[in-house]
């Protein structure tokens, strides 16, 4: 079974530029998550999708971050414009149904450096 | 807001030694997850505990959740270099299955 796929693996941009990350969850998984992991910290949830609807985006900085999952499969996370403090690893995860106590499967992440 | 506190923050042990990592929450948890992360990689699921007093083992790793469901420990027996990495505890605080995580424990195992 293929895992959660993310691209690119690495991205270096200058502040005020835009960047987009892509995630393809495990086939058949209804729930998709985007997490931000700053160096030395645990992952922080940015947004949770159930199929193509948003379940929780309370911690997403909506003035610069946006995410979509139009067909309920792949998802894109965008930052526009980027700030220095956005440097982090962006992790995508998926779970089968999003039910309580269900395991989350994580991708390898996209490491973003904002200069 | 709910937080998970992990201790220690980092740990260096000699190969073959046992070790314990702790994870504490200020509130009762719906579920407690343990993940392992190697540098530059995603999180690998280890175990999930739901019930107060529950204990699970996989190979040389044992995790326990206390009766009040506010504290968990991860114990590694006879550590090996392959156990090195960052161990993260995560919890579902609301039942919506979106996990929040502790800051992690960085484990180094010296051959």
């Amino acid at each position: 079974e293929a895992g959660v796929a993310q691209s690119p693996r690495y991205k270096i941009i200058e502040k005020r530029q835009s960047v987009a990350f892509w995630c393809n969850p495990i086939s058949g998984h209804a729930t998709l998550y985007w997490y931000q992991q700053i160096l030395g910290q645990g992952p922080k949830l940015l947004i949770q999708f159930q199929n193509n609807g948003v379940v929780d985006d309370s911690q997403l900085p909506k003035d610069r971050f946006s995410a979509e999952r139009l067909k309920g499969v792949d998802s894109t996370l965008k930052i526009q414009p980027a700030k220095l403090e956005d440097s982090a690893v962006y992790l995508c995860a998926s779970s089968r149904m999003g039910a309580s106590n269900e395991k989350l499967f994580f991708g390898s992440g996209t490491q973003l450096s904002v200069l | 807001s709910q937080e998970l506190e992990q201790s220690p923050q980092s740990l260096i042990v000699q190969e073959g030694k046992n070790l314990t990592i702790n994870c504490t929450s200020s509130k009762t948890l719906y579920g407690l997850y343990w993940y392992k992360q190697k540098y530059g990689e995603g999180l690998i699921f280890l175990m999930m505990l739901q019930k107060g007093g529950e204990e699970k083992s996989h190979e040389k790793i044992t995790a326990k959740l206390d009766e009040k469901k506010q504290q968990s420990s991860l114990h590694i027996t006879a550590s090996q270099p392959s156990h090195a990495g960052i161990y993260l505890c995560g919890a579902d605080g609301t039942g919506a299955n979106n996990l929040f995580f502790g800051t992690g424990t960085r484990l180094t195992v010296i051959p």
Side-chain angles (χ1 to χ4, degrees):
Chain A
E1 179 182 70
V4 176
Q6 289 189 247
S7 67
R9 282 287 277 131
Y10 305 94
K11 191 74 178 178
I12 301 173
I13 62 172
E14 294 187 349
K15 60 183 179 183
R16 292 187 289 272
Q17 285 188 322
S18 301
V19 65
F21 313 126
W22 174 82
C23 173
N24 187 12
I26 292 173
S27 178
H29 279 198
T31 311
L32 185 147
Y33 312 77
W34 282 104
Y35 281 85
Q36 179 194 57
Q37 185 176 24
I38 292 173
L39 187 65
Q41 299 181 17
K44 182 185 85 170
L45 179 71
L46 292 176
I47 189 167
Q48 176 186 5
F49 290 97
Q50 183 73 14
N51 296 309
N52 60 352
V54 175
V55 174
D56 186 344
D57 64 355
S58 57
Q59 298 190 86
L60 186 73
K62 297 180 185 64
D63 57 334
R64 298 183 301 106
F65 286 64
S66 64
E68 59 183 16
R69 194 185 184 200
L70 293 176
K71 296 182 179 178
V73 181
D74 294 8
S75 177
T76 303
L77 177 70
K78 296 180 182 177
I79 307 175
Q80 181 178 8
K83 293 185 175 181
L84 297 177
E85 59 260 35
D86 298 331
S87 295
V89 176
Y90 291 84
L91 295 162
C92 179
S94 70
S95 66
R96 202 163 52 86
M97 293 170 54
S100 184
N101 294 327
E102 201 175 67
K103 185 166 65 174
L104 273 64
F105 295 82
F106 283 82
S108 297
T110 295
Q111 188 167 327
L112 173 68
S113 296
V114 182
L115 307 177
Chain B
S1 63
Q2 196 164 6
E3 291 185 352
L4 290 173
E5 187 174 324
Q6 284 189 241
S7 63
Q9 288 188 338
S10 64
L11 196 53
I12 302 173
V13 300
Q14 201 77 35
E15 182 177 359
K17 296 293 186 184
N18 302 336
L19 61 105
T20 300
I21 298 168
N22 295 300
C23 175
T24 303
S25 169
S26 56
K27 299 181 182 179
T28 300
L29 302 167
Y30 284 86
L32 191 288
Y33 298 70
W34 283 100
Y35 281 84
K36 178 185 174 184
Q37 185 177 32
K38 292 210 165 185
Y39 180 76
E41 299 180 14
L43 280 64
I44 306 297
F45 173 82
L46 296 175
M47 272 171 275
M48 190 255 299
L49 305 164
Q50 288 179 253
K51 302 173 184 175
E54 187 174 10
E55 179 175 323
K56 288 186 177 178
S57 293
H58 177 67
E59 297 180 344
K60 295 185 178 181
I61 300 176
T62 300
K64 301 177 186 179
L65 182 62
D66 75 342
E67 289 291 340
K68 292 185 179 179
K69 295 172 67 175
Q70 287 187 241
Q71 187 167 34
S72 179
S73 61
L74 185 84
H75 183 79
I76 299 177
T77 303
S79 59
Q80 300 169 355
S82 60
H83 288 128
I86 299 171
Y87 288 82
L88 290 154
C89 63
D92 179 358
T94 64
N97 210 50
N98 49 40
L99 304 186
F100 63 98
F101 288 90
T103 52
T105 295
R106 181 180 294 273
L107 173 64
T108 303
V109 181
I110 301 172

